[in-house]
Amino acid sequence: MSKHTIEANPVGPINGSPEQNAYMEELERQLTVDTEKLIDIKNHFITEMIKGLNKPNHTLAMIPSYVEGRLTGEEKGHYLALDLGGTNLRVVLVTLEGQGKFKTISTKARVSDELKSGPMRNLCDYIADCIDTFLTEQNLGNVDEDLALGFTFSFPVLQSKINRGILTTWTKGFNCSGAVGKDPVLLLQDALLRKHVPVKITALVNDTVGTLLSNAYQKPNTLAGLILGTGSNGAYIEKMSNIGKWEKENTTAHEMVINMELGAFDNERTILPLTRFDNKLDRKSINPHSQIFEKLISGMYLGEIVRNVITDMMDRNLLFTQPGQSTEAISAHYQFETSFMSSIEADGSKDLSTVREVLDTNLNLTNVTDVELRIVKRICELVGTRAARLAGAAIASIAIHTKVDRQGADFGIDGSLYEFYPSFESRMYTALAELMPDYADDIRNIIRLGLARDGSGVGAALTACVADRMFKTV
Ligand code: ADP
Ligand code: MG
C-alpha cells in the first residue's frame, strides 16, 4: 500500500458530558459539507474558472503559463531546476533520458523566516550561493555553456513570456520587500551574474504547472497537476479557444497550460462555508482576506484550524480542564501541526495511544482523559474531511469543465498533505463520486489521481525543455 492510500480510523461516539456532546454536534454541523453544498461550490467554481479565462485580474486568476502543447516522454538532456515556494529551497540537476525516464541529483536548504520577510536581494543572494555550492559539488562550476535552469517560483505571477513574469503578491508566509511588481527571474539572474554563477534562467515555472508536466512525462494522458502541500494550487491543459482574455501574438498551439491560482477561490466569501475558526485563522494570518480556499485545504493551515477549535473549547471549559494542565504550547499560534492530524487520524488503537502520545510529546498535554482524546481525534476528522472534500470539488470542476469522458484522465498531485494524510485521497474520491454521479461506478479509473513525485524539480526541468522547443520553432 502506498503512503497516500493509508486510511484513517474514525473515532466512535464521544460519550462526553452533555455540554461536550452538544458542542461536538454543533461543530459537526458547521464543518460538514454535504453533497448539496458541495455541488453548489463546484458549480460556482466552474463559473469562476470561465470568468477568469475571459477577463484579467479575476479572483480565480487562470493565468496562461506560456507552456504550450504536450509532452511525449521522449525529451532528453541535462537541465537545472530550482524550487522556491515551500518549506525548503531545492536545487536539482535533472537528466532526461527519454521513454519517460529521468535521473535527479538534488540539494535542499532551509529558508529562514528572516530571509522570507527581509529584502528580496538578500534572498536572491542566498539562492545564488546555494546554486554555486551545488554546482561546485557536482563539478559543474566551470562549464563552457551556461546551464539552463527552470525556476519554480510558487507564488502568483503574471507571466508575459515563458521566462518573464511579475510577482503580484506573496503567499504562504513569504513577504520579502522589493519583489512585488517585479520580475523574480531578473532579480535572481542579477544575483547569479554578480556572483559569476554559470546559469541562465530559461523558464519561470509554477510548481503546479511543473507537477502537471512531470506527471505528463510518464503519463501522456495527464490533464492536470495539483499541489496539496504547504499551499494549494491547480493547473490544467486548456484549449486556446477557451482563453478569451488571450491578446498576445497568435500562437499555433491549440492548447496551453493554465495556472489556476485556485487558492484564491471565493476570496469574496460568497459560497464557502466559513466558520469562526476559519475567520480567526484568516484574520491572524500574514495575508488576511486572501487565499481563502487555500486556508481551508492546505498543510500550512489545517492544524491551526484544529487548534482554533481546541482553544475555543478550552475557553469554554470543555477541554483540558484538569488542574495543573500545561496549556502554554497549545495556546501558541501554529503549534498544532498538520502532521499531528495525520498521526491522530491514523490511530486505530482502542485506547488511542498515538493521540495521547502526540499531545504529550508535542504539546506537553498530560493526564488527558479518554473523552478528550476522542474529541481531539474527532476535530481532526472533521477539519481533514472538509479539506479533502473541498479539494475534490476543485478536481471535479476541472474534469467537468474540460469534459472528461469515460476514457478518463490522469491528475498528478504533489505535496505532503496528499502523500501522508490518511484518507485524504479516498475522501476526495467520495466527493468526486458525489459530484460526477454518471461516473461514480468507476470513479477511480476515470479520475486517476496519483502522486507526482518531485513535480517541482523534474517539472521545472521539463519546462526549461519545452521553452527550448518553443524558442526553436519560432
Ligand atoms: P511544500 O508544499 O512546501 O513544497 P510539502 O509538499 O512537503 O512541501 O508540504 C509541506 C506541508 O505539508 C507542511 O505545511 C505540513 O503542514 C504538511 N505536512 C507535512 N507532513 C505532513 C503529514 N505527515 N501529514 C499531513 N501534512 C503534512
Ligand atoms: Mg512542493
Side-chain angles (χ1 to χ4, degrees):
M1 194 164 63
S2 56
K3 281 179 188 151
H4 65 284
T5 57
I6 291 174
E7 298 300 325
N9 284 289
V11 69
I14 301 296
N15 290 333
S17 69
E19 292 78 15
Q20 285 171 321
N21 293 342
Y23 186 99
M24 292 309 287
E25 276 166 33
E26 171 60 17
L27 185 71
E28 176 164 347
R29 202 187 56 71
Q30 287 181 39
L31 290 174
T32 300
V33 187
D34 63 16
T35 305
E36 204 183 334
K37 180 69 181 173
L38 207 58
I39 291 171
D40 288 347
I41 292 169
K42 177 265 293 172
N43 289 340
H44 189 63
F45 203 105
I46 294 174
T47 307
E48 290 292 289
M49 284 173 70
I50 294 168
K51 279 189 190 160
L53 288 169
N54 286 298
K55 62 176 190 189
N57 306 320
H58 191 65
T59 308
L60 207 48
M62 306 298 283
I63 301 167
S65 69
Y66 291 79
V67 174
E68 300 173 353
R70 300 200 181 213
L71 296 174
T72 63
E74 288 311 318
E75 295 77 7
K76 289 179 186 157
H78 300 281
Y79 297 90
L80 274 178
L82 170 71
D83 180 8
L84 177 76
T87 313
N88 292 302
L89 170 74
R90 252 177 3 126
V91 188
V92 192
L93 176 65
V94 181
T95 308
L96 302 175
E97 299 177 325
Q99 297 187 313
K101 296 202 194 82
F102 58 83
K103 289 208 175 81
T104 64
I105 306 173
S106 65
T107 183
K108 271 189 184 188
R110 250 196 85 79
V111 183
S112 66
D113 289 342
E114 198 182 332
L115 283 170
K116 281 185 186 173
S117 55
M120 182 62 171
R121 187 183 164 104
N122 294 357
L123 180 63
C124 288
D125 282 353
Y126 175 74
I127 297 171
D129 287 339
C130 289
I131 297 174
D132 197 22
T133 308
F134 179 68
L135 293 184
T136 307
E137 282 166 9
Q138 300 303 325
N139 290 320
L140 290 167
N142 287 308
V143 286
D144 298 338
E145 203 178 327
D146 284 355
L147 275 158
L149 179 144
F151 182 11
T152 303
F153 185 72
S154 312
F155 301 98
V157 162
L158 273 180
Q159 218 154 337
S160 55
K161 280 185 188 174
I162 197 157
N163 61 346
R164 286 285 175 275
I166 298 290
L167 173 67
T168 57
T169 171
W170 286 111
T171 57
K172 297 181 287 186
F174 277 73
N175 205 5
C176 295
S177 57
V180 171
K182 302 225 170 92
D183 185 341
V185 172
L186 293 177
L187 298 174
L188 180 59
Q189 188 71 63
D190 187 51
L192 291 164
L193 283 171
R194 269 188 280 119
K195 291 173 178 285
H196 307 288
V197 185
V199 167
K200 184 169 164 49
I201 306 170
T202 58
L204 179 59
V205 193
N206 182 280
D207 60 347
T208 319
V209 177
T211 296
L212 191 166
L213 291 190
S214 87
N215 207 68
Y217 193 56
Q218 287 154 301
K219 298 175 184 170
N221 287 321
T222 297
L223 169 67
L226 286 128
I227 302 290
L228 294 169
T230 302
S232 309
N233 196 7
Y236 73 102
I237 301 172
E238 180 60 279
K239 290 193 181 76
M240 285 306 303
S241 57
N242 282 344
I243 312 174
K245 67 184 174 185
W246 182 262
E247 289 175 343
K248 298 281 162 39
E249 68 281 6
N250 264 344
T251 136
T252 51
H254 300 296
E255 297 174 324
M256 181 173 285
V257 176
I258 296 289
N259 164 20
M260 303 169 77
E261 288 301 335
L262 62 74
F265 170 66
D266 202 35
N267 279 350
E268 302 86 356
R269 297 161 175 261
T270 58
I271 192 109
L272 290 171
L274 295 163
T275 65
R276 66 180 183 281
F277 312 108
D278 306 306
N279 291 334
K280 179 172 179 185
L281 177 138
D282 180 47
R283 187 159 45 78
K284 300 205 169 197
S285 70
I286 183 167
N287 53 347
H289 309 299
S290 65
Q291 299 295 105
I292 296 295
F293 192 60
E294 177 169 80
K295 285 171 180 157
L296 294 177
I297 66 171
S298 50
M300 179 161 175
Y301 306 106
L302 296 187
E304 181 67 358
I305 299 170
V306 168
R307 201 190 65 84
N308 282 346
V309 178
I310 290 175
T311 53
D312 183 63
M313 291 189 78
M314 287 165 58
D315 291 345
R316 294 162 199 255
N317 282 324
L318 295 173
L319 202 57
F320 306 139
T321 49
Q322 296 83 334
Q325 181 65 278
S326 153
T327 54
E328 205 177 313
I330 190 75
S331 301
H333 290 166
Y334 290 94
Q335 288 308 297
F336 196 103
E337 293 175 17
T338 302
S339 61
F340 302 170
M341 296 171 70
S342 289
S343 311
I344 288 171
E345 283 236 55
D347 188 357
S349 68
K350 252 186 126 165
D351 57 355
L352 297 183
S353 51
T354 305
V355 183
R356 183 177 294 286
E357 192 182 324
V358 167
L359 297 179
D360 186 343
T361 317
N362 299 291
L363 297 161
N364 203 17
L365 290 162
T366 51
N367 298 322
V368 177
T369 67
D370 288 349
V371 169
E372 290 173 332
L373 295 177
R374 290 197 291 273
I375 287 177
V376 169
K377 193 170 201 290
R378 185 78 188 118
I379 298 170
C380 294
E381 276 169 31
L382 291 169
V383 172
T385 302
R386 185 183 66 162
R389 289 175 65 77
L390 291 172
I395 293 172
S397 302
I398 298 170
I400 294 168
H401 169 75
T402 57
K403 303 190 169 64
V404 167
D405 59 17
R406 281 213 163 249
Q407 302 246 306
D410 291 293
F411 290 69
I413 310 182
D414 186 14
S416 293
L417 187 65
Y418 174 71
E419 185 169 4
F420 299 115
Y421 200 111
S423 289
F424 208 88
E425 187 188 81
S426 54
R427 288 166 179 168
M428 287 200 292
Y429 273 125
T430 304
L432 281 160
E434 291 167 32
L435 295 173
M436 304 180 76
D438 293 348
Y439 298 152
D441 59 324
D442 200 21
I443 196 73
R444 286 171 184 257
N445 290 316
I446 294 172
I447 306 298
R448 296 182 296 269
L449 309 179
L451 198 58
R453 276 194 192 284
D454 197 21
S456 42
V458 180
L462 285 160
T463 312
C465 177
V466 173
D468 259 1
R469 189 171 76 189
M470 285 165 53
F471 291 139
K472 281 172 189 153
T473 55
V474 287

